[in-house]
Amino acid sequence: MASNKKSGGNRFEKSVNGRRSSKHKEGPVVMDTKAVFAALYSVCEENATFFSGGAKGSQGDAARRLVDAMKLIQEHGRSLEPVISGFAAVYHHFDFDPHIPANGYRSLVKVVRCCLLHIIQKGRYITANRRSIFFRVTHNAGEMEAYCSALCQLRALLYLAQRMLHDNNHGNLFFQDESGLSESFVREYSSMHKGCFYGRCLGFQFTPGIRPCLQTIAIGLVAFGENYKRHQSGIGVAASSFFTSGKYAIDPELRGAEFERITQNLDVHFWKTFWNITETEVLSSLASMTSTQVKVNRTLSVPPVPFDLPLAANHRASVTIAPPSAHIGTAPVQMRLISYDLREGQDSETLLSLSRSEGGAISLSLGLKTKCLPSSPCLLIHFHGGGFVAQTSKSHEPYLKSWSQDLGVPILSVDYSLAPEAPFPRALEECFYAYCWALRNHHLLGWTGEKVCLAGDSAGGNLSVTTSMRAAAFGVRMPDGIVAAYPATLLTAYASPSRLLTLMDPLLPLSVLSRCLSAYTGSEPQTETQVEKVSTLSLVRRDTALLLRDFRQGASNWIHSLLDSNRASASPSTATEAPPGATDTVRKSISEASISSPHADPPVPSEFPTRKLSVKSQTCQDLGSHNNSTSHSASLLSERTPEDVNFFLFKDADPSISSDLSSVAIPPPAGEEESALEHPREFPLGFEPLRSEQLTEMKVESSPVAKDPFCSPLLAPDSMLKGLPPVHIVV
């Protein structure tokens, strides 16, 4: 997302350029569109002609299905060819820069191309094997029907992308309004069929090596969803999910339908439970045993006590850092200190007094009189991901241990409070408090206090950027660098070409992402429907009965799926769950008072010299090249004009560029019956995407909190973003 915002001297621009400047020197590569579509038409026509005079009976029915799928693919192809050719001629205008050919329009066209190539490959396989006695017409008909459905949905997305080119301002990737096109996109997303992307076509747009992993995750998700909210203990849910997963592994259509049901109907509490599977004692213990062994692995509970911190521009002056208090009141801030080597201060009595037990040993080697090394000149502060609603540092512990060994630095990971129980700005307050506490107590962490870097993935990437922005607002020392892995930088419902691809996202579809963001912004219910409590003995009896039942049912499904050749074409169950109840009203963020307070924005003038971003694992070591004495404070603008925030890749409209875009862009389709429709048509007459039997409940307008720049940093004024330290973005 950060690539959609560009201005002179922007740190986001410089960070990505530092990473990718050595590649793609020859400029963007345009695929041979004509050759791809010619191959598509040829293979479909050849197979359709061959199977048109097929046998009677079940084989004849399967052959007719295959012919119908081939003809429909040809129809979609003829409509897509001019659209793909048009986008291939203009999408380079939206690239981040000449060295980084990347934007949402490119990605969308590439996904369509992947689908076409899969169809061509499958068609050639059919051509080569259709006379074999081992050739299964029914199976191959199901494959082609699945990809035909996927191609139909992709065609709809391309029509919406053409609308974006028409409705957006010149050079703008985002539609900067939650009405109009953004509203139409959400409405279309909620009703469009998505199951085809999670069955046979799951992960087709990715490299083949990752597809088995995505299939395993999808099977585990739908099996877990089937057993969700049962009165079972943890081992009962795991065992039941294992024995019921067989039918989803064998029947892709059933898996796709169930995946769509889960992602469209289950609330954020289901996803919190599913993503926290890695927090269970069995899995976390297994991960701990197989991960890098470290000398220090402490969980800390820092009491909520206010303290003073010197200003970056004037060390004689200070600002008071108040403890977090939003929504749930003051409470200790939880952290985890990981260090491959035992360093000075990490075994102090003061730090031991802050340690909390997790039911096991706090450290692996402190009792063995391990040699104590001097303090490290660098510290890495980590904010974990999890959609703002799930996971802790425990889930991310294995790779944090490896980082500590590879970088040779201690790592402080913050276990911030999670939504929906603690929405924005609670997590930001805790992360900022932890950052300031680390600056003040560096001697306890095995750190000299010289260089500090923030790192985080997804939601953690958002918190890394916004914590730095808050440090600038308070006038305290800024971090020396930020590593943000696929950060969430825009939490509003603005339509964009890259967000069209969330229709087929195998890990985080838009409906799930919307629920997580609604929880973080305070518009999602804090609690789910309570279930009755039962005794432990009742749980064991029920688990045993359900386990035996699921074992019988799972074995029966496996055998039945293998024996029934027509199962692939059978329609899956369409049973739905009742939609969740009405959500609570949006809670007003209490951060406004603190942000607008005298402490939030002290008048600290500063300048920001250009700094080059370090790369790869040398990020922490290379921070020494940056001048720590330079003030990094940026004044927080209380009033922002539209000119302060922009998504433009180029401001001066080139007549030739405008002509190119207008040749691809299309206006909303007009019809005589438009006035009689509740919603205007979004697609040309004669075409309609596949529709889902159950609608997704999504809010058209996001919470006003989502437009706060400390919630959506991409909406911050350029003048504020220019004051950020070097940002290394991983996507």
Side-chain angles (χ1 to χ4, degrees):
M1 268 182 206
S3 63
N4 294 308
K5 181 157 188 162
K6 182 178 179 182
S7 61
N10 198 332
R11 294 293 181 184
F12 281 19
E13 173 189 354
K14 293 182 180 300
S15 66
V16 183
N17 286 345
R19 167 83 175 180
R20 298 286 299 276
S21 59
S22 62
K23 299 183 179 181
H24 304 288
K25 295 292 186 181
E26 70 281 0
V29 178
V30 179
M31 71 174 183
D32 189 350
T33 304
K34 291 185 178 180
V36 171
F37 281 96
L40 178 74
Y41 302 146
S42 175
V43 72
C44 288
E45 183 65 30
E46 184 181 0
N47 283 301
T49 302
F50 179 85
F51 288 99
S52 293
K56 298 180 180 179
S58 60
Q59 291 294 321
D61 293 338
R64 282 189 291 273
R65 288 171 48 208
L66 186 57
V67 171
D68 292 341
M70 293 290 187
K71 291 181 178 179
L72 190 53
I73 288 173
Q74 287 180 296
E75 178 185 338
H76 289 317
R78 293 188 183 95
S79 298
L80 284 171
E81 184 174 4
V83 179
I84 293 294
S85 299
F87 272 112
V90 302
Y91 56 37
H92 64 277
H93 293 309
F94 297 88
D95 288 339
F96 189 64
D97 65 26
H99 304 292
I100 305 178
N103 63 74
Y105 292 118
R106 277 187 180 272
S107 299
L108 184 57
V109 171
K110 184 177 180 180
V111 169
V112 177
R113 179 175 179 264
C114 286
C115 186
L116 295 174
L117 294 178
H118 274 281
I119 294 174
I120 294 172
Q121 181 185 19
K122 189 63 182 177
R124 289 173 176 171
Y125 169 83
I126 294 174
T127 301
N129 297 274
R130 61 197 180 192
R131 298 183 184 276
S132 171
I133 60 174
F134 299 105
F135 182 77
R136 295 184 296 164
V137 182
T138 302
H139 169 77
N140 287 278
E143 291 279 330
M144 297 306 293
E145 287 174 338
Y147 278 101
C148 180
S149 298
L151 193 62
C152 176
Q153 304 304 80
L154 290 173
R155 179 182 171 186
L157 296 184
L158 280 175
Y159 280 137
L160 292 176
Q162 288 181 287
R163 284 283 313 282
M164 289 182 185
L165 283 179
H166 178 272
D167 294 359
N168 266 348
N169 294 324
H170 180 75
N172 199 342
L173 280 172
F174 283 94
F175 191 82
Q176 300 178 50
D177 192 352
E178 291 186 340
S179 61
L181 186 58
S182 295
E183 181 180 358
S184 300
F185 167 60
V186 172
R187 184 174 62 249
E188 291 297 330
Y189 176 90
S190 64
S191 63
M192 285 177 63
H193 173 63
K194 311 168 191 65
C196 59
F197 293 112
Y198 305 112
R200 298 179 187 271
C201 303
L202 178 64
F204 73 91
Q205 68 270 40
F206 299 106
T207 181
I210 200 176
R211 289 172 203 159
C213 177
L214 295 176
Q215 290 174 355
T216 302
I217 294 175
I219 293 171
L221 172 65
V222 295
F224 184 85
E226 184 176 348
N227 296 279
Y228 179 58
K229 280 191 175 181
R230 286 185 179 179
H231 303 300
Q232 293 178 267
S233 59
I235 189 172
V237 173
S240 298
S241 300
F242 175 77
F243 285 112
T244 57
S245 63
K247 58 184 177 182
Y248 300 117
I250 295 175
D251 192 340
E253 279 77 13
L254 180 60
R255 179 180 70 220
E258 184 67 7
F259 195 102
E260 182 177 14
R261 181 193 70 83
I262 289 175
T263 55
Q264 293 196 163
N265 291 289
L266 297 187
D267 59 16
V268 70
H269 300 281
F270 167 80
W271 298 100
K272 181 190 286 279
T273 304
F274 178 70
W275 288 334
N276 280 336
I277 289 179
T278 54
E279 304 277 336
T280 58
E281 185 175 353
V282 175
L283 292 181
S284 61
S285 299
L286 181 62
S288 180
M289 289 187 295
T290 57
S291 60
T292 302
Q293 300 302 307
V294 296
K295 299 297 189 299
V296 178
N297 185 3
R298 297 179 179 275
T299 51
L300 308 177
S301 182
V302 177
V305 179
F307 56 85
D308 293 333
L309 208 61
L311 295 177
N314 182 8
H315 291 281
R316 295 182 179 180
S318 62
V319 61
T320 300
I321 306 300
S325 59
H327 299 295
I328 58 177
T330 57
V333 178
Q334 312 301 325
M335 314 176 197
R336 180 184 297 271
L337 177 62
I338 295 176
S339 181
Y340 181 74
D341 298 302
L342 176 63
R343 297 185 178 274
E344 183 179 352
Q346 293 177 344
D347 57 350
S348 63
E349 292 296 331
T350 304
L351 191 67
L352 288 174
S353 66
L354 300 177
S355 300
R356 57 186 174 90
S357 175
E358 291 184 314
I362 296 177
S363 178
L364 297 174
S365 307
L366 290 181
L368 302 179
K369 302 297 182 182
T370 304
K371 180 181 178 180
C372 186
L373 299 181
S375 298
S376 169
C378 301
L379 174 70
L380 179 64
I381 299 181
H382 172 260
F383 306 127
H384 65 81
F388 300 104
V389 301
Q391 299 191 334
T392 66
S393 61
K394 197 179 188 71
S395 305
H396 301 251
E397 186 180 327
Y399 72 79
L400 292 179
K401 291 179 179 179
S402 299
W403 283 7
S404 181
Q405 179 185 21
D406 296 339
L407 299 174
V409 301
I411 297 177
L412 185 68
S413 184
V414 182
D415 287 329
Y416 53 86
S417 297
L418 302 173
E421 295 79 11
F424 177 86
R426 181 67 188 205
L428 175 58
E429 288 184 351
E430 293 185 359
C431 290
F432 176 68
Y433 185 85
Y435 168 73
C436 294
W437 181 88
L439 294 179
R440 187 172 185 268
N441 297 276
H442 58 85
H443 58 284
L444 300 178
L445 305 176
W447 173 42
T448 61
E450 297 177 47
K451 295 172 285 293
V452 58
C453 179
L454 305 185
D457 64 294
S458 188
N462 172 288
L463 293 170
S464 297
V465 176
T466 53
T467 296
S468 301
M469 292 168 55
R470 195 173 177 91
F474 273 72
V476 300
R477 171 188 170 181
M478 293 274 282
D480 297 273
I482 300 174
V483 179
Y486 43 92
T489 57
L490 186 63
L491 275 58
T492 58
Y494 297 159
S496 73
S498 61
R499 288 187 172 180
L500 293 176
L501 295 173
T502 57
L503 185 78
M504 67 197 78
D505 194 305
L507 297 178
L508 195 61
L510 182 61
S511 56
V512 180
L513 179 62
S514 174
R515 287 183 173 88
C516 294
L517 299 184
S518 295
Y520 183 57
T521 56
S523 54
E524 188 79 6
Q526 294 190 44
T527 57
E528 60 180 337
T529 304
Q530 298 295 322
V531 296
E532 63 179 12
K533 296 183 178 180
V534 292
S535 65
T536 303
L537 185 59
S538 299
L539 283 175
V540 173
R541 287 198 301 265
R542 183 175 289 109
D543 284 353
T544 303
L546 289 173
L547 183 60
L548 293 175
R549 188 204 69 181
D550 289 334
F551 178 78
R552 292 192 302 268
Q553 186 181 39
S556 175
N557 286 329
W558 288 1
I559 296 172
H560 182 66
S561 297
L562 289 173
L563 295 179
D564 188 359
S565 60
N566 293 324
R567 184 175 178 84
S569 60
S571 59
S573 173
T574 57
T576 60
E577 292 189 0
T583 59
D584 298 334
T585 57
V586 177
R587 294 187 292 276
K588 181 177 176 63
S589 169
I590 68 169
S591 65
E592 297 177 4
S594 61
I595 291 177
S596 60
S597 68
H599 293 306
D601 187 16
V604 185
S606 60
E607 296 182 357
F608 310 99
T610 302
R611 308 200 310 190
K612 185 178 180 180
L613 178 72
S614 55
V615 296
K616 297 184 179 180
S617 62
Q618 299 178 357
T619 300
C620 287
Q621 287 87 344
D622 290 351
L623 292 177
S625 62
H626 308 310
N627 186 3
N628 288 327
S629 62
T630 304
S631 171
H632 303 293
S633 302
S635 60
L636 176 62
L637 304 181
S638 58
E639 295 183 1
R640 301 186 303 278
T641 62
E643 290 76 13
D644 294 327
V645 183
N646 72 81
F647 299 100
F648 292 97
L649 297 177
F650 40 87
K651 293 184 178 180
D652 299 329
D654 187 336
S656 62
I657 295 177
S658 299
S659 177
D660 290 343
L661 298 182
S662 62
S663 65
V664 183
I666 59 173
E672 297 179 357
E673 302 86 358
E674 291 298 311
S675 58
L677 297 178
E678 181 181 358
H679 300 294
R681 286 186 57 86
E682 301 299 335
F683 306 103
L685 292 174
F687 172 77
E688 187 70 19
L690 302 177
R691 298 296 180 181
S692 177
E693 296 182 2
Q694 45 197 337
L695 300 181
T696 305
E697 288 197 358
M698 291 179 58
K699 297 180 177 65
V700 175
E701 293 188 4
S702 56
S703 165
V705 176
K707 299 178 182 179
D708 189 320
F710 287 92
C711 190
S712 295
L714 199 61
L715 296 179
D718 289 345
S719 57
M720 181 186 296
L721 295 179
K722 289 178 182 177
L724 290 175
V727 182
H728 184 77
I729 298 178
V730 182
V731 294

